Amino acid sequence: MAIISHSLLKYFEIELKTLTAMVSLGNISTPATIFPTRYAAAAGSSKHQCRASIATRDELLGLISDDERGLRSQKDKRRKERILRAFEALAAESASSDGITTDSRLSGTWRMLWTTEKEQLFIVDKAPLFGTRAGDILQVIDVGENRLNNVITFPPSGAFVVASTMEVVSDKRVEFQFTGALLRSDTWSLPVPPFGKGWFESVYLDEHIRLAKDIRGDFLVVERAPYDWIDEADFWSLT
């Protein structure tokens, strides 16, 4: 799903320069190269998954494993087409099951493995120009509380957080409304006005990964992160 509107991206560029200034002043140490750990397919499977689905899932994960979260396929049409064929094949197999992806299993901290969303890829690609680096990119979802936080981390202590309210409207679709955003380190924070609303559909969901499409036609592959992202109260207060 789109976590940053085009208008918000411009604002973010300005604030990222501020984050860089903090680095140069010593308030934030310059991070090492950090990228999400690529998902390793589990040997076992759930009772709801057939061998064909596991093979299709592993094919997709193999294709995106060295794609730098989508940067390489953004510039390589054939590579992108291969990934999207595997994406759609897995989504089609999921559709043949019960197809419900908006129940309590949707809750949790999800880490981005791959996307077609230009705004996210811009940040991943250009952050080093500002003296920092994008770490994990997360979706933090709480179905019971109707909360959605999108988070771009800048290790060791920076983060850009976009807060939203959300509503489950079908077996697959979630609608959301941005309520605020915050660029912060461990010593300061800069609020950003809220921008926009939209929806996303989770077209595949298992114990480990989730596939989603959004209102703008972007594609997303996320894994269940090996940790829970715990937000401070002032971030949740944005909702």
Side-chain angles (χ1 to χ4, degrees), residues 8-21:
L8 192 53
L9 177 62
K10 291 297 182 183
Y11 189 98
F12 176 80
E13 290 183 56
I14 296 171
E15 300 302 347
L16 189 55
K17 292 178 181 178
T18 302
L19 181 67
T20 305

Side-chain angles (χ1 to χ4, degrees), residues 17-46:
K17 292 178 181 178
T18 302
L19 181 67
T20 305
M22 293 296 182
V23 172
S24 64
L25 291 173
N27 291 338
I28 303 176
S29 59
T30 304
T33 301
I34 297 178
F35 288 100
T37 302
R38 297 308 180 193
Y39 172 73
S45 63
S46 76

